Amino acid sequence: RKITEGVARLNRIVSSLLTYTRPLQLNSHPVRFAELVEETIAFFEIGLERAHKNINVERHFPEADLVCRMDPEQFQQVILNVLQNATQAMPEGGTIDATVDTAETPSGSTAMLCISDTGVGMSSEVRERLFTPFFTTKEDGTGLGLVTSKKIIEAHGGFIAVESQPDQGTSFTISLPQ
């Protein structure tokens, strides 16, 4: 059993490393942003129910369609990674808030996704190292999830920001050009 678990962990590390080091091949096309986020959250909630996690996901989506040119599979990976991190930050349960909105910037209209949790939060030291390859606070983590997510977001012309305080939860904001 220990050998099987060890091999599975090594496989995850190697797969994550390969994903991180390979150049991204985006298959971009116009996508309804809120619809993609909703589908991804619904899929994620199935796993929460199976694992009997006491986590509630609240959604705040605009009525108007937001269309972004993106690779939906790659972007779903980003959303799932942030949701998974939020879940791990709330071992006793809590709430994840997913908000889709727009903002006007000097470079044009931007679609934004903010995923916030009511978890343990992070110290400033952890926040500073968050996007450093192989940095992890998890025993079974690879330290490549958020690094890869940032790479995918930047390949789409977007950016990711994090706000967090110990014992006050964490918010990740992802911005993409519309």
Side-chain angles (χ1 to χ4, degrees), residues 20 24 74-75 77-79 81-82 85 127-133 144-162 172-176:
Y20 173 67
L24 282 178
Q74 298 270 356
F75 202 75
Q77 179 183 345
V78 170
I79 298 167
N81 184 54
V82 175
N85 286 350
R127 268 194 331 274
E128 288 173 16
R129 297 187 64 199
L130 206 54
F131 298 104
T132 303
L144 291 170
L146 286 174
V147 174
T148 303
S149 294
K150 183 178 181 184
K151 180 178 176 181
I152 292 168
I153 292 165
E154 289 175 349
H156 283 86
F159 65 90
I160 183 168
V162 62
F172 281 92
T173 302
I174 300 165
S175 300
L176 294 174

PDB file of all heavy atoms in Angstrom, residues 20 24 74-75 77-79 81-82 85 127-133 144-162 172-176:
ATOM      1  N   TYR A  20       3.972  21.991 -16.187  1.00  0.00           N
ATOM      2  CA  TYR A  20       4.561  23.300 -15.909  1.00  0.00           C
ATOM      3  C   TYR A  20       5.654  23.669 -16.911  1.00  0.00           C
ATOM      4  O   TYR A  20       5.748  24.812 -17.352  1.00  0.00           O
ATOM      5  CB  TYR A  20       5.108  23.330 -14.482  1.00  0.00           C
ATOM      6  CG  TYR A  20       5.881  24.573 -14.175  1.00  0.00           C
ATOM      7  CD1 TYR A  20       5.250  25.810 -14.125  1.00  0.00           C
ATOM      8  CD2 TYR A  20       7.245  24.532 -13.944  1.00  0.00           C
ATOM      9  CE1 TYR A  20       5.953  26.967 -13.857  1.00  0.00           C
ATOM     10  CE2 TYR A  20       7.959  25.679 -13.670  1.00  0.00           C
ATOM     11  CZ  TYR A  20       7.313  26.896 -13.630  1.00  0.00           C
ATOM     12  OH  TYR A  20       8.014  28.032 -13.370  1.00  0.00           O
ATOM     13  N   LEU A  24       2.691  26.075 -23.405  1.00  0.00           N
ATOM     14  CA  LEU A  24       1.243  25.903 -23.466  1.00  0.00           C
ATOM     15  C   LEU A  24       0.756  25.958 -24.903  1.00  0.00           C
ATOM     16  O   LEU A  24       1.162  26.822 -25.673  1.00  0.00           O
ATOM     17  CB  LEU A  24       0.536  27.008 -22.672  1.00  0.00           C
ATOM     18  CG  LEU A  24       0.512  26.855 -21.174  1.00  0.00           C
ATOM     19  CD1 LEU A  24      -0.182  28.042 -20.539  1.00  0.00           C
ATOM     20  CD2 LEU A  24      -0.187  25.580 -20.763  1.00  0.00           C
ATOM     21  N   GLN A  74      -8.092  24.358 -20.268  1.00  0.00           N
ATOM     22  CA  GLN A  74      -6.988  24.894 -19.472  1.00  0.00           C
ATOM     23  C   GLN A  74      -7.527  25.766 -18.342  1.00  0.00           C
ATOM     24  O   GLN A  74      -7.056  25.703 -17.211  1.00  0.00           O
ATOM     25  CB  GLN A  74      -6.047  25.738 -20.351  1.00  0.00           C
ATOM     26  CG  GLN A  74      -5.379  24.977 -21.448  1.00  0.00           C
ATOM     27  CD  GLN A  74      -4.059  24.375 -21.028  1.00  0.00           C
ATOM     28  OE1 GLN A  74      -3.585  24.573 -19.922  1.00  0.00           O
ATOM     29  NE2 GLN A  74      -3.459  23.616 -21.926  1.00  0.00           N
ATOM     30  N   PHE A  75      -8.541  26.583 -18.661  1.00  0.00           N
ATOM     31  CA  PHE A  75      -9.057  27.489 -17.641  1.00  0.00           C
ATOM     32  C   PHE A  75      -9.834  26.741 -16.564  1.00  0.00           C
ATOM     33  O   PHE A  75      -9.824  27.143 -15.396  1.00  0.00           O
ATOM     34  CB  PHE A  75      -9.899  28.605 -18.268  1.00  0.00           C
ATOM     35  CG  PHE A  75      -9.978  29.795 -17.364  1.00  0.00           C
ATOM     36  CD1 PHE A  75      -8.897  30.649 -17.232  1.00  0.00           C
ATOM     37  CD2 PHE A  75     -11.102  30.033 -16.603  1.00  0.00           C
ATOM     38  CE1 PHE A  75      -8.939  31.727 -16.368  1.00  0.00           C
ATOM     39  CE2 PHE A  75     -11.161  31.105 -15.737  1.00  0.00           C
ATOM     40  CZ  PHE A  75     -10.074  31.950 -15.613  1.00  0.00           C
ATOM     41  N   GLN A  77      -8.943  23.937 -15.405  1.00  0.00           N
ATOM     42  CA  GLN A  77      -7.874  23.454 -14.532  1.00  0.00           C
ATOM     43  C   GLN A  77      -7.526  24.528 -13.497  1.00  0.00           C
ATOM     44  O   GLN A  77      -7.326  24.226 -12.322  1.00  0.00           O
ATOM     45  CB  GLN A  77      -6.645  23.090 -15.359  1.00  0.00           C
ATOM     46  CG  GLN A  77      -5.478  22.607 -14.529  1.00  0.00           C
ATOM     47  CD  GLN A  77      -4.240  22.308 -15.358  1.00  0.00           C
ATOM     48  OE1 GLN A  77      -4.296  22.197 -16.569  1.00  0.00           O
ATOM     49  NE2 GLN A  77      -3.117  22.202 -14.694  1.00  0.00           N
ATOM     50  N   VAL A  78      -7.467  25.784 -13.922  1.00  0.00           N
ATOM     51  CA  VAL A  78      -7.176  26.889 -13.012  1.00  0.00           C
ATOM     52  C   VAL A  78      -8.260  26.986 -11.936  1.00  0.00           C
ATOM     53  O   VAL A  78      -7.959  27.051 -10.735  1.00  0.00           O
ATOM     54  CB  VAL A  78      -7.081  28.226 -13.785  1.00  0.00           C
ATOM     55  CG1 VAL A  78      -7.013  29.412 -12.833  1.00  0.00           C
ATOM     56  CG2 VAL A  78      -5.896  28.218 -14.735  1.00  0.00           C
ATOM     57  N   ILE A  79      -9.520  26.995 -12.357  1.00  0.00           N
ATOM     58  CA  ILE A  79     -10.633  27.127 -11.412  1.00  0.00           C
ATOM     59  C   ILE A  79     -10.631  25.972 -10.417  1.00  0.00           C
ATOM     60  O   ILE A  79     -10.761  26.177  -9.208  1.00  0.00           O
ATOM     61  CB  ILE A  79     -11.983  27.205 -12.156  1.00  0.00           C
ATOM     62  CG1 ILE A  79     -12.034  28.434 -13.058  1.00  0.00           C
ATOM     63  CG2 ILE A  79     -13.154  27.232 -11.169  1.00  0.00           C
ATOM     64  CD1 ILE A  79     -13.195  28.425 -14.049  1.00  0.00           C
ATOM     65  N   ASN A  81      -8.153  24.124  -9.477  1.00  0.00           N
ATOM     66  CA  ASN A  81      -7.013  24.228  -8.576  1.00  0.00           C
ATOM     67  C   ASN A  81      -7.293  25.219  -7.445  1.00  0.00           C
ATOM     68  O   ASN A  81      -7.034  24.927  -6.275  1.00  0.00           O
ATOM     69  CB  ASN A  81      -5.757  24.635  -9.341  1.00  0.00           C
ATOM     70  CG  ASN A  81      -4.547  24.641  -8.443  1.00  0.00           C
ATOM     71  OD1 ASN A  81      -4.248  23.658  -7.776  1.00  0.00           O
ATOM     72  ND2 ASN A  81      -3.864  25.766  -8.400  1.00  0.00           N
ATOM     73  N   VAL A  82      -7.846  26.377  -7.781  1.00  0.00           N
ATOM     74  CA  VAL A  82      -8.143  27.377  -6.751  1.00  0.00           C
ATOM     75  C   VAL A  82      -9.234  26.864  -5.809  1.00  0.00           C
ATOM     76  O   VAL A  82      -9.144  27.031  -4.589  1.00  0.00           O
ATOM     77  CB  VAL A  82      -8.522  28.736  -7.391  1.00  0.00           C
ATOM     78  CG1 VAL A  82      -8.953  29.733  -6.329  1.00  0.00           C
ATOM     79  CG2 VAL A  82      -7.342  29.295  -8.181  1.00  0.00           C
ATOM     80  N   ASN A  85      -7.663  24.307  -3.447  1.00  0.00           N
ATOM     81  CA  ASN A  85      -6.883  24.979  -2.409  1.00  0.00           C
ATOM     82  C   ASN A  85      -7.797  25.585  -1.349  1.00  0.00           C
ATOM     83  O   ASN A  85      -7.503  25.509  -0.149  1.00  0.00           O
ATOM     84  CB  ASN A  85      -5.997  26.064  -3.016  1.00  0.00           C
ATOM     85  CG  ASN A  85      -4.808  25.490  -3.765  1.00  0.00           C
ATOM     86  OD1 ASN A  85      -4.519  24.306  -3.700  1.00  0.00           O
ATOM     87  ND2 ASN A  85      -4.132  26.348  -4.503  1.00  0.00           N
ATOM     88  N   ARG A 127       2.233  34.067   1.369  1.00  0.00           N
ATOM     89  CA  ARG A 127       1.708  34.802   0.199  1.00  0.00           C
ATOM     90  C   ARG A 127       2.828  35.179  -0.760  1.00  0.00           C
ATOM     91  O   ARG A 127       2.677  35.077  -1.974  1.00  0.00           O
ATOM     92  CB  ARG A 127       0.963  36.069   0.637  1.00  0.00           C
ATOM     93  CG  ARG A 127      -0.496  35.880   0.850  1.00  0.00           C
ATOM     94  CD  ARG A 127      -1.270  37.195   0.958  1.00  0.00           C
ATOM     95  NE  ARG A 127      -0.551  38.325   1.473  1.00  0.00           N
ATOM     96  CZ  ARG A 127      -0.392  38.639   2.757  1.00  0.00           C
ATOM     97  NH1 ARG A 127      -0.897  37.854   3.688  1.00  0.00           N
ATOM     98  NH2 ARG A 127       0.267  39.718   3.114  1.00  0.00           N
ATOM     99  N   GLU A 128       3.955  35.617  -0.233  1.00  0.00           N
ATOM    100  CA  GLU A 128       5.083  36.033  -1.075  1.00  0.00           C
ATOM    101  C   GLU A 128       5.664  34.875  -1.880  1.00  0.00           C
ATOM    102  O   GLU A 128       6.175  35.085  -2.974  1.00  0.00           O
ATOM    103  CB  GLU A 128       6.178  36.667  -0.221  1.00  0.00           C
ATOM    104  CG  GLU A 128       5.805  38.041   0.296  1.00  0.00           C
ATOM    105  CD  GLU A 128       6.826  38.588   1.288  1.00  0.00           C
ATOM    106  OE1 GLU A 128       7.959  38.056   1.351  1.00  0.00           O
ATOM    107  OE2 GLU A 128       6.471  39.539   2.002  1.00  0.00           O
ATOM    108  N   ARG A 129       5.581  33.661  -1.374  1.00  0.00           N
ATOM    109  CA  ARG A 129       6.180  32.495  -2.036  1.00  0.00           C
ATOM    110  C   ARG A 129       5.164  31.664  -2.807  1.00  0.00           C
ATOM    111  O   ARG A 129       5.514  30.656  -3.413  1.00  0.00           O
ATOM    112  CB  ARG A 129       6.871  31.616  -0.997  1.00  0.00           C
ATOM    113  CG  ARG A 129       8.021  32.352  -0.313  1.00  0.00           C
ATOM    114  CD  ARG A 129       8.817  31.474   0.575  1.00  0.00           C
ATOM    115  NE  ARG A 129       9.466  30.423  -0.206  1.00  0.00           N
ATOM    116  CZ  ARG A 129       9.933  29.302   0.318  1.00  0.00           C
ATOM    117  NH1 ARG A 129       9.837  29.077   1.602  1.00  0.00           N
ATOM    118  NH2 ARG A 129      10.495  28.387  -0.448  1.00  0.00           N
ATOM    119  N   LEU A 130       3.909  32.094  -2.796  1.00  0.00           N
ATOM    120  CA  LEU A 130       2.794  31.310  -3.321  1.00  0.00           C
ATOM    121  C   LEU A 130       2.989  30.839  -4.763  1.00  0.00           C
ATOM    122  O   LEU A 130       2.613  29.733  -5.104  1.00  0.00           O
ATOM    123  CB  LEU A 130       1.515  32.142  -3.215  1.00  0.00           C
ATOM    124  CG  LEU A 130       0.207  31.413  -3.106  1.00  0.00           C
ATOM    125  CD1 LEU A 130       0.216  30.426  -1.957  1.00  0.00           C
ATOM    126  CD2 LEU A 130      -0.916  32.413  -2.916  1.00  0.00           C
ATOM    127  N   PHE A 131       3.570  31.674  -5.599  1.00  0.00           N
ATOM    128  CA  PHE A 131       3.731  31.329  -7.015  1.00  0.00           C
ATOM    129  C   PHE A 131       5.163  30.899  -7.338  1.00  0.00           C
ATOM    130  O   PHE A 131       5.598  30.981  -8.483  1.00  0.00           O
ATOM    131  CB  PHE A 131       3.289  32.507  -7.890  1.00  0.00           C
ATOM    132  CG  PHE A 131       1.832  32.845  -7.702  1.00  0.00           C
ATOM    133  CD1 PHE A 131       1.448  33.956  -6.962  1.00  0.00           C
ATOM    134  CD2 PHE A 131       0.842  32.048  -8.250  1.00  0.00           C
ATOM    135  CE1 PHE A 131       0.105  34.266  -6.778  1.00  0.00           C
ATOM    136  CE2 PHE A 131      -0.501  32.343  -8.068  1.00  0.00           C
ATOM    137  CZ  PHE A 131      -0.863  33.454  -7.329  1.00  0.00           C
ATOM    138  N   THR A 132       5.880  30.418  -6.331  1.00  0.00           N
ATOM    139  CA  THR A 132       7.234  29.912  -6.506  1.00  0.00           C
ATOM    140  C   THR A 132       7.163  28.410  -6.779  1.00  0.00           C
ATOM    141  O   THR A 132       6.519  27.675  -6.013  1.00  0.00           O
ATOM    142  CB  THR A 132       8.070  30.160  -5.219  1.00  0.00           C
ATOM    143  OG1 THR A 132       8.053  31.546  -4.929  1.00  0.00           O
ATOM    144  CG2 THR A 132       9.489  29.666  -5.394  1.00  0.00           C
ATOM    145  N   PRO A 133       7.802  27.931  -7.854  1.00  0.00           N
ATOM    146  CA  PRO A 133       7.764  26.490  -8.133  1.00  0.00           C
ATOM    147  C   PRO A 133       8.257  25.662  -6.954  1.00  0.00           C
ATOM    148  O   PRO A 133       9.243  26.005  -6.297  1.00  0.00           O
ATOM    149  CB  PRO A 133       8.697  26.336  -9.339  1.00  0.00           C
ATOM    150  CG  PRO A 133       8.703  27.681  -9.984  1.00  0.00           C
ATOM    151  CD  PRO A 133       8.551  28.675  -8.860  1.00  0.00           C
ATOM    152  N   LEU A 144       3.232  22.971  -7.554  1.00  0.00           N
ATOM    153  CA  LEU A 144       3.145  23.392  -8.959  1.00  0.00           C
ATOM    154  C   LEU A 144       1.738  23.810  -9.373  1.00  0.00           C
ATOM    155  O   LEU A 144       1.548  24.334 -10.459  1.00  0.00           O
ATOM    156  CB  LEU A 144       3.638  22.264  -9.878  1.00  0.00           C
ATOM    157  CG  LEU A 144       5.133  21.988  -9.784  1.00  0.00           C
ATOM    158  CD1 LEU A 144       5.490  20.712 -10.528  1.00  0.00           C
ATOM    159  CD2 LEU A 144       5.936  23.159 -10.312  1.00  0.00           C
ATOM    160  N   GLY A 145       0.730  23.607  -8.527  1.00  0.00           N
ATOM    161  CA  GLY A 145      -0.646  23.923  -8.900  1.00  0.00           C
ATOM    162  C   GLY A 145      -0.867  25.394  -9.209  1.00  0.00           C
ATOM    163  O   GLY A 145      -1.332  25.751 -10.293  1.00  0.00           O
ATOM    164  N   LEU A 146      -0.524  26.264  -8.268  1.00  0.00           N
ATOM    165  CA  LEU A 146      -0.731  27.697  -8.494  1.00  0.00           C
ATOM    166  C   LEU A 146       0.249  28.270  -9.509  1.00  0.00           C
ATOM    167  O   LEU A 146      -0.089  29.185 -10.254  1.00  0.00           O
ATOM    168  CB  LEU A 146      -0.647  28.469  -7.172  1.00  0.00           C
ATOM    169  CG  LEU A 146      -1.857  28.304  -6.261  1.00  0.00           C
ATOM    170  CD1 LEU A 146      -1.618  28.983  -4.919  1.00  0.00           C
ATOM    171  CD2 LEU A 146      -3.114  28.866  -6.923  1.00  0.00           C
ATOM    172  N   VAL A 147       1.458  27.712  -9.565  1.00  0.00           N
ATOM    173  CA  VAL A 147       2.442  28.161 -10.559  1.00  0.00           C
ATOM    174  C   VAL A 147       1.918  27.871 -11.965  1.00  0.00           C
ATOM    175  O   VAL A 147       1.973  28.729 -12.857  1.00  0.00           O
ATOM    176  CB  VAL A 147       3.803  27.467 -10.322  1.00  0.00           C
ATOM    177  CG1 VAL A 147       4.789  27.805 -11.413  1.00  0.00           C
ATOM    178  CG2 VAL A 147       4.359  27.847  -8.969  1.00  0.00           C
ATOM    179  N   THR A 148       1.392  26.670 -12.150  1.00  0.00           N
ATOM    180  CA  THR A 148       0.828  26.295 -13.450  1.00  0.00           C
ATOM    181  C   THR A 148      -0.405  27.124 -13.759  1.00  0.00           C
ATOM    182  O   THR A 148      -0.596  27.573 -14.895  1.00  0.00           O
ATOM    183  CB  THR A 148       0.497  24.788 -13.471  1.00  0.00           C
ATOM    184  OG1 THR A 148       1.683  24.048 -13.181  1.00  0.00           O
ATOM    185  CG2 THR A 148      -0.064  24.359 -14.817  1.00  0.00           C
ATOM    186  N   SER A 149      -1.247  27.367 -12.755  1.00  0.00           N
ATOM    187  CA  SER A 149      -2.442  28.190 -12.950  1.00  0.00           C
ATOM    188  C   SER A 149      -2.058  29.594 -13.403  1.00  0.00           C
ATOM    189  O   SER A 149      -2.658  30.150 -14.328  1.00  0.00           O
ATOM    190  CB  SER A 149      -3.261  28.268 -11.663  1.00  0.00           C
ATOM    191  OG  SER A 149      -3.785  26.999 -11.347  1.00  0.00           O
ATOM    192  N   LYS A 150      -1.050  30.164 -12.766  1.00  0.00           N
ATOM    193  CA  LYS A 150      -0.589  31.511 -13.148  1.00  0.00           C
ATOM    194  C   LYS A 150      -0.092  31.513 -14.591  1.00  0.00           C
ATOM    195  O   LYS A 150      -0.374  32.438 -15.352  1.00  0.00           O
ATOM    196  CB  LYS A 150       0.506  31.972 -12.194  1.00  0.00           C
ATOM    197  CG  LYS A 150       0.992  33.382 -12.482  1.00  0.00           C
ATOM    198  CD  LYS A 150       2.044  33.836 -11.491  1.00  0.00           C
ATOM    199  CE  LYS A 150       2.476  35.259 -11.814  1.00  0.00           C
ATOM    200  NZ  LYS A 150       3.559  35.697 -10.948  1.00  0.00           N
ATOM    201  N   LYS A 151       0.626  30.470 -14.965  1.00  0.00           N
ATOM    202  CA  LYS A 151       1.142  30.359 -16.331  1.00  0.00           C
ATOM    203  C   LYS A 151      -0.011  30.316 -17.342  1.00  0.00           C
ATOM    204  O   LYS A 151       0.029  30.977 -18.380  1.00  0.00           O
ATOM    205  CB  LYS A 151       2.008  29.095 -16.452  1.00  0.00           C
ATOM    206  CG  LYS A 151       2.601  28.869 -17.816  1.00  0.00           C
ATOM    207  CD  LYS A 151       3.468  27.619 -17.817  1.00  0.00           C
ATOM    208  CE  LYS A 151       3.996  27.322 -19.201  1.00  0.00           C
ATOM    209  NZ  LYS A 151       4.824  26.117 -19.239  1.00  0.00           N
ATOM    210  N   ILE A 152      -1.051  29.563 -17.027  1.00  0.00           N
ATOM    211  CA  ILE A 152      -2.223  29.464 -17.919  1.00  0.00           C
ATOM    212  C   ILE A 152      -2.926  30.813 -18.021  1.00  0.00           C
ATOM    213  O   ILE A 152      -3.286  31.262 -19.119  1.00  0.00           O
ATOM    214  CB  ILE A 152      -3.195  28.370 -17.417  1.00  0.00           C
ATOM    215  CG1 ILE A 152      -2.557  26.983 -17.572  1.00  0.00           C
ATOM    216  CG2 ILE A 152      -4.533  28.445 -18.156  1.00  0.00           C
ATOM    217  CD1 ILE A 152      -3.303  25.864 -16.853  1.00  0.00           C
ATOM    218  N   ILE A 153      -3.119  31.478 -16.894  1.00  0.00           N
ATOM    219  CA  ILE A 153      -3.794  32.779 -16.887  1.00  0.00           C
ATOM    220  C   ILE A 153      -2.997  33.796 -17.702  1.00  0.00           C
ATOM    221  O   ILE A 153      -3.566  34.530 -18.524  1.00  0.00           O
ATOM    222  CB  ILE A 153      -3.997  33.264 -15.432  1.00  0.00           C
ATOM    223  CG1 ILE A 153      -5.003  32.360 -14.721  1.00  0.00           C
ATOM    224  CG2 ILE A 153      -4.463  34.720 -15.403  1.00  0.00           C
ATOM    225  CD1 ILE A 153      -5.010  32.506 -13.206  1.00  0.00           C
ATOM    226  N   GLU A 154      -1.698  33.846 -17.497  1.00  0.00           N
ATOM    227  CA  GLU A 154      -0.859  34.794 -18.235  1.00  0.00           C
ATOM    228  C   GLU A 154      -0.833  34.480 -19.726  1.00  0.00           C
ATOM    229  O   GLU A 154      -0.762  35.386 -20.557  1.00  0.00           O
ATOM    230  CB  GLU A 154       0.546  34.832 -17.643  1.00  0.00           C
ATOM    231  CG  GLU A 154       0.564  35.509 -16.281  1.00  0.00           C
ATOM    232  CD  GLU A 154       1.920  35.472 -15.585  1.00  0.00           C
ATOM    233  OE1 GLU A 154       2.832  34.734 -16.042  1.00  0.00           O
ATOM    234  OE2 GLU A 154       2.054  36.188 -14.572  1.00  0.00           O
ATOM    235  N   ALA A 155      -0.905  33.193 -20.102  1.00  0.00           N
ATOM    236  CA  ALA A 155      -0.963  32.820 -21.519  1.00  0.00           C
ATOM    237  C   ALA A 155      -2.244  33.335 -22.169  1.00  0.00           C
ATOM    238  O   ALA A 155      -2.289  33.555 -23.378  1.00  0.00           O
ATOM    239  CB  ALA A 155      -0.866  31.302 -21.673  1.00  0.00           C
ATOM    240  N   HIS A 156      -3.282  33.553 -21.357  1.00  0.00           N
ATOM    241  CA  HIS A 156      -4.545  34.112 -21.843  1.00  0.00           C
ATOM    242  C   HIS A 156      -4.545  35.640 -21.797  1.00  0.00           C
ATOM    243  O   HIS A 156      -5.566  36.266 -22.057  1.00  0.00           O
ATOM    244  CB  HIS A 156      -5.715  33.579 -21.007  1.00  0.00           C
ATOM    245  CG  HIS A 156      -6.116  32.182 -21.327  1.00  0.00           C
ATOM    246  ND1 HIS A 156      -5.521  31.090 -20.753  1.00  0.00           N
ATOM    247  CD2 HIS A 156      -7.052  31.704 -22.183  1.00  0.00           C
ATOM    248  CE1 HIS A 156      -6.075  29.994 -21.233  1.00  0.00           C
ATOM    249  NE2 HIS A 156      -7.002  30.330 -22.102  1.00  0.00           N
ATOM    250  N   GLY A 157      -3.435  36.247 -21.417  1.00  0.00           N
ATOM    251  CA  GLY A 157      -3.353  37.703 -21.328  1.00  0.00           C
ATOM    252  C   GLY A 157      -3.913  38.253 -20.031  1.00  0.00           C
ATOM    253  O   GLY A 157      -4.178  39.454 -19.927  1.00  0.00           O
ATOM    254  N   GLY A 158      -4.105  37.404 -19.033  1.00  0.00           N
ATOM    255  CA  GLY A 158      -4.689  37.832 -17.771  1.00  0.00           C
ATOM    256  C   GLY A 158      -3.692  37.859 -16.639  1.00  0.00           C
ATOM    257  O   GLY A 158      -2.486  37.723 -16.843  1.00  0.00           O
ATOM    258  N   PHE A 159      -4.203  38.055 -15.438  1.00  0.00           N
ATOM    259  CA  PHE A 159      -3.359  38.023 -14.254  1.00  0.00           C
ATOM    260  C   PHE A 159      -4.151  37.500 -13.072  1.00  0.00           C
ATOM    261  O   PHE A 159      -5.378  37.467 -13.082  1.00  0.00           O
ATOM    262  CB  PHE A 159      -2.732  39.398 -13.954  1.00  0.00           C
ATOM    263  CG  PHE A 159      -3.722  40.470 -13.596  1.00  0.00           C
ATOM    264  CD1 PHE A 159      -4.091  40.690 -12.274  1.00  0.00           C
ATOM    265  CD2 PHE A 159      -4.278  41.275 -14.579  1.00  0.00           C
ATOM    266  CE1 PHE A 159      -5.002  41.674 -11.945  1.00  0.00           C
ATOM    267  CE2 PHE A 159      -5.191  42.264 -14.258  1.00  0.00           C
ATOM    268  CZ  PHE A 159      -5.556  42.468 -12.937  1.00  0.00           C
ATOM    269  N   ILE A 160      -3.424  37.082 -12.034  1.00  0.00           N
ATOM    270  CA  ILE A 160      -4.029  36.552 -10.815  1.00  0.00           C
ATOM    271  C   ILE A 160      -3.450  37.305  -9.626  1.00  0.00           C
ATOM    272  O   ILE A 160      -2.250  37.617  -9.601  1.00  0.00           O
ATOM    273  CB  ILE A 160      -3.801  35.025 -10.682  1.00  0.00           C
ATOM    274  CG1 ILE A 160      -4.512  34.465  -9.438  1.00  0.00           C
ATOM    275  CG2 ILE A 160      -2.339  34.668 -10.703  1.00  0.00           C
ATOM    276  CD1 ILE A 160      -4.572  32.937  -9.395  1.00  0.00           C
ATOM    277  N   ALA A 161      -4.300  37.629  -8.672  1.00  0.00           N
ATOM    278  CA  ALA A 161      -3.878  38.316  -7.455  1.00  0.00           C
ATOM    279  C   ALA A 161      -4.461  37.584  -6.257  1.00  0.00           C
ATOM    280  O   ALA A 161      -5.504  36.937  -6.367  1.00  0.00           O
ATOM    281  CB  ALA A 161      -4.360  39.767  -7.470  1.00  0.00           C
ATOM    282  N   VAL A 162      -3.794  37.696  -5.122  1.00  0.00           N
ATOM    283  CA  VAL A 162      -4.264  37.030  -3.904  1.00  0.00           C
ATOM    284  C   VAL A 162      -4.260  38.023  -2.746  1.00  0.00           C
ATOM    285  O   VAL A 162      -3.366  38.854  -2.638  1.00  0.00           O
ATOM    286  CB  VAL A 162      -3.406  35.784  -3.568  1.00  0.00           C
ATOM    287  CG1 VAL A 162      -1.960  36.154  -3.310  1.00  0.00           C
ATOM    288  CG2 VAL A 162      -3.976  35.014  -2.401  1.00  0.00           C
ATOM    289  N   PHE A 172      -8.712  34.835  -4.183  1.00  0.00           N
ATOM    290  CA  PHE A 172      -7.960  34.874  -5.430  1.00  0.00           C
ATOM    291  C   PHE A 172      -8.813  35.603  -6.458  1.00  0.00           C
ATOM    292  O   PHE A 172      -9.989  35.260  -6.643  1.00  0.00           O
ATOM    293  CB  PHE A 172      -7.676  33.447  -5.942  1.00  0.00           C
ATOM    294  CG  PHE A 172      -6.540  32.784  -5.232  1.00  0.00           C
ATOM    295  CD1 PHE A 172      -6.770  31.998  -4.115  1.00  0.00           C
ATOM    296  CD2 PHE A 172      -5.238  32.933  -5.675  1.00  0.00           C
ATOM    297  CE1 PHE A 172      -5.728  31.376  -3.445  1.00  0.00           C
ATOM    298  CE2 PHE A 172      -4.191  32.318  -5.016  1.00  0.00           C
ATOM    299  CZ  PHE A 172      -4.428  31.529  -3.900  1.00  0.00           C
ATOM    300  N   THR A 173      -8.228  36.589  -7.135  1.00  0.00           N
ATOM    301  CA  THR A 173      -8.925  37.303  -8.192  1.00  0.00           C
ATOM    302  C   THR A 173      -8.195  37.066  -9.491  1.00  0.00           C
ATOM    303  O   THR A 173      -6.995  37.337  -9.610  1.00  0.00           O
ATOM    304  CB  THR A 173      -9.005  38.815  -7.889  1.00  0.00           C
ATOM    305  OG1 THR A 173      -9.677  38.988  -6.640  1.00  0.00           O
ATOM    306  CG2 THR A 173      -9.779  39.541  -8.976  1.00  0.00           C
ATOM    307  N   ILE A 174      -8.935  36.550 -10.463  1.00  0.00           N
ATOM    308  CA  ILE A 174      -8.390  36.248 -11.788  1.00  0.00           C
ATOM    309  C   ILE A 174      -9.036  37.210 -12.769  1.00  0.00           C
ATOM    310  O   ILE A 174     -10.275  37.317 -12.818  1.00  0.00           O
ATOM    311  CB  ILE A 174      -8.702  34.797 -12.183  1.00  0.00           C
ATOM    312  CG1 ILE A 174      -8.071  33.832 -11.154  1.00  0.00           C
ATOM    313  CG2 ILE A 174      -8.220  34.508 -13.606  1.00  0.00           C
ATOM    314  CD1 ILE A 174      -8.609  32.425 -11.230  1.00  0.00           C
ATOM    315  N   SER A 175      -8.230  37.900 -13.550  1.00  0.00           N
ATOM    316  CA  SER A 175      -8.741  38.849 -14.535  1.00  0.00           C
ATOM    317  C   SER A 175      -8.308  38.407 -15.922  1.00  0.00           C
ATOM    318  O   SER A 175      -7.150  38.037 -16.123  1.00  0.00           O
ATOM    319  CB  SER A 175      -8.185  40.255 -14.264  1.00  0.00           C
ATOM    320  OG  SER A 175      -8.562  40.686 -12.987  1.00  0.00           O
ATOM    321  N   LEU A 176      -9.259  38.447 -16.848  1.00  0.00           N
ATOM    322  CA  LEU A 176      -8.990  38.068 -18.237  1.00  0.00           C
ATOM    323  C   LEU A 176      -9.562  39.132 -19.168  1.00  0.00           C
ATOM    324  O   LEU A 176     -10.638  39.661 -18.914  1.00  0.00           O
ATOM    325  CB  LEU A 176      -9.652  36.742 -18.579  1.00  0.00           C
ATOM    326  CG  LEU A 176      -9.164  35.494 -17.872  1.00  0.00           C
ATOM    327  CD1 LEU A 176     -10.041  34.315 -18.234  1.00  0.00           C
ATOM    328  CD2 LEU A 176      -7.732  35.210 -18.271  1.00  0.00           C
TER     329      LEU A 176
END
